[in-house]
Amino acid sequence: MENSAGVVVPLLDLDAQYRPIRDALIAALVRVADSQRFILGTEVEALERELAASLEVDHAIGVSSGTDALTVTMMALGIGPGAEVITPTYSFFATAGCVTRLGATPVFVDIDPVTFNLDPVAVARAISPRTRAIVPVHLFGLSADLDAIRDLARRAGVAVIEDAAQALGARYHGQPVGGIGTAGCFSFFPSKNLGAFGDGGLVVTNDADLAREVRLLRNHGAEPKYVHSRVGGNFRLDALQAAVLRVKAPHLETWAAGRRRNADRYRALVPELGLQHTIELPVEPDGYTHTYNQFVIRAPERDALRAHLAYRHVGTEIYYPVPFHQQACFATLGRGSDEFPVADRAAASSLALPIYAELTLTQQRHVVASIAGFYARRRR
Ligand SMILES: Cc1ncc(COP(=O)(O)O)c(C=O)c1O
């Protein structure tokens, strides 16, 4: 029987990350509990300082989620009714959802067939006099083509908001992503490379005025307390999350190295098992440092393969089965499927394999052998 291997490979094993640092995490939680200071405060300020240094930016502002990082950044840039914001049609929902929430219009563009990221040629075609911002998403942990996008934005006089939710630690020509555009937005959702014990996010920028506005809007636009020059929201990060993130952040590089080693192992195992002409592996172009928040392959007969892998106790996920232009909530935008062939193909063939740092070689062999077993049987 195929399952006699007895190997189990979850898509993500947060427990494996947690156990070795459990004592430090519990100590941090106790520290906050003993302080009885839960909202913003010294833990959040320390995290902001530490992450600003590692991301090589002037300003880092802790917020309540990656979604809120995007929302508050757009609010701070004055994006609202009448404005258009260019986003890829292939991303997590928040990238476009927050544009609509602000009363602005998301303008979807297709992705690059190799990187899954925003296609600059399609962006150029989508720019209009109403465009206020372009949102390159560094999908799965690989930077978008930022030079091309920044160039287009500069000529159009619009902002670049990097959706770096999946890409903390990724680099573009040596520079950390997030601080390259007008602003960068990160998520600390537990499955991200730096994951909190709940929701959290971060806005980074080198623009002091924008940073001041984001800080103001993060806390209902109040300055001083109970005096409001703007309408913001409650987009605050809490101290417990900041304390957890401060324990985890120093491990980020080691964890990223583990993910990169695992990506290399897949790259070696796939041809070893004769799969190099059957499945496509993610790319890491020259000048880009991928963080492999996800390791997304493209596979024929993807849904049947996924069912087979589940049977073999291999966890997988589809990021993303439904591009924005096919979502019911965006139907009023009237964008047809024939406009986004690359995203549609990606949605039909992409499959995320386990890539977390603690994965063993035995587990990875099991994943690739299971994929090889599936296609061998199809060929019979
Ligand atoms: C590309 C992208 N943008 C935005 C977000 C939103 O982040 P959060 O879940 O922290 O709100 C996510 C997180 O899943 C994401 O992957």
Side-chain angles (χ1 to χ4, degrees):
M1 279 302 291
E2 282 185 317
N3 271 332
S4 63
V7 183
V8 173
V9 196
L11 179 64
L12 178 64
D13 184 355
L14 281 179
D15 197 56
Q17 182 192 80
Y18 168 65
R19 292 288 152 200
I21 56 171
R22 182 179 179 280
D23 290 349
L25 286 164
I26 299 295
L29 294 175
V30 169
R31 186 174 71 231
V32 176
D34 286 350
S35 79
Q36 288 294 297
R37 296 203 49 185
F38 299 114
I39 306 293
L40 297 175
T42 52
E43 291 287 347
V44 172
E45 285 161 19
L47 177 75
E48 290 175 346
R49 269 196 311 278
E50 289 156 11
L51 290 181
S54 66
L55 292 169
E56 300 170 23
V57 291
D58 292 340
H59 309 279
I61 303 125
V63 294
S64 35
S65 69
T67 304
D68 289 341
L70 289 164
T71 302
V72 73
T73 300
M74 289 182 196
M75 287 171 78
L77 288 166
I79 289 167
E84 290 181 355
V85 176
I86 296 174
T87 79
T89 188
Y90 192 72
S91 176
F92 177 66
F93 182 75
T95 309
C98 56
V99 178
T100 301
R101 253 181 74 193
L102 294 175
T105 305
V107 175
F108 304 138
V109 302
D110 212 345
I111 53 168
D112 177 271
V114 177
T115 63
F116 291 104
N117 279 330
L118 203 50
D119 174 1
V121 175
V123 172
R125 280 199 299 266
I127 291 174
S128 87
R130 289 178 299 282
T131 306
R132 296 292 311 278
I134 303 169
V135 185
V137 180
H138 307 315
L139 205 65
F140 309 138
L142 177 71
S143 174
D145 183 354
L146 285 174
D147 279 346
I149 291 163
R150 274 199 311 175
D151 195 45
L152 289 167
R154 201 177 304 120
R155 278 190 271 146
V158 305
V160 174
I161 304 169
E162 294 177 61
D163 182 342
Q166 302 180 6
L168 189 71
R171 287 176 182 265
Y172 177 73
H173 297 296
Q175 194 179 342
V177 300
I180 300 174
T182 314
C185 299
F186 294 92
S187 165
F188 302 130
F189 185 80
S191 65
K192 297 296 193 272
N193 287 358
L194 179 59
F197 281 3
D199 281 309
L202 190 80
V203 178
V204 300
T205 181
N206 292 310
D207 179 331
D209 292 335
L210 182 60
R212 198 173 312 112
E213 194 69 10
V214 169
R215 274 186 199 285
L216 191 65
L217 294 174
R218 167 177 73 170
N219 195 18
H220 287 297
E223 194 181 61
K225 214 172 172 184
Y226 307 127
V227 177
H228 304 263
S229 54
R230 309 256 201 304
V231 177
N234 176 355
F235 303 126
R236 300 180 299 243
L237 182 65
D238 65 66
L240 279 170
Q241 301 307 342
V244 166
L245 293 166
R246 291 184 67 206
V247 172
K248 288 190 170 193
H251 297 278
L252 250 189
E253 270 188 34
T254 312
W255 293 336
R259 287 169 180 273
R260 293 175 59 75
R261 177 206 55 223
N262 296 344
D264 288 344
R265 279 182 188 160
Y266 277 134
R267 291 211 165 86
L269 286 167
V270 162
E272 214 175 273
L273 280 108
L275 285 168
Q276 69 275 23
H277 302 303
T278 307
I279 60 173
E280 281 176 56
L281 300 182
V283 297
E284 184 173 22
D286 280 350
Y288 291 67
T289 309
H290 205 315
T291 59
Y292 297 105
N293 182 238
Q294 301 296 343
F295 188 87
V296 176
I297 65 165
R298 296 166 200 256
E301 298 180 77
R302 188 265 321 271
D303 294 338
L305 170 64
R306 186 169 190 228
H308 173 78
L309 291 175
Y311 171 70
R312 299 263 299 168
H313 302 296
V314 174
T316 60
E317 189 51 274
I318 299 169
Y319 301 115
Y320 295 93
V322 187
F324 298 156
H325 63 272
Q326 290 186 24
Q327 298 286 357
C329 64
F330 293 134
T332 50
L333 296 172
R335 305 298 301 270
S337 224
D338 50 338
E339 292 181 72
F340 309 98
V342 184
D344 282 343
R345 275 202 302 279
S349 64
S350 66
L351 191 67
L353 302 182
I355 190 72
Y356 60 90
E358 298 80 6
L359 208 56
T360 65
L361 180 56
T362 303
Q363 286 176 306
Q364 287 192 269
R365 279 193 194 286
H366 177 71
V367 173
V368 182
S370 301
I371 297 173
F374 171 79
Y375 288 113
R377 227 191 289 157
R378 299 305 244 212
R379 278 193 287 270
R380 257 185 246 140

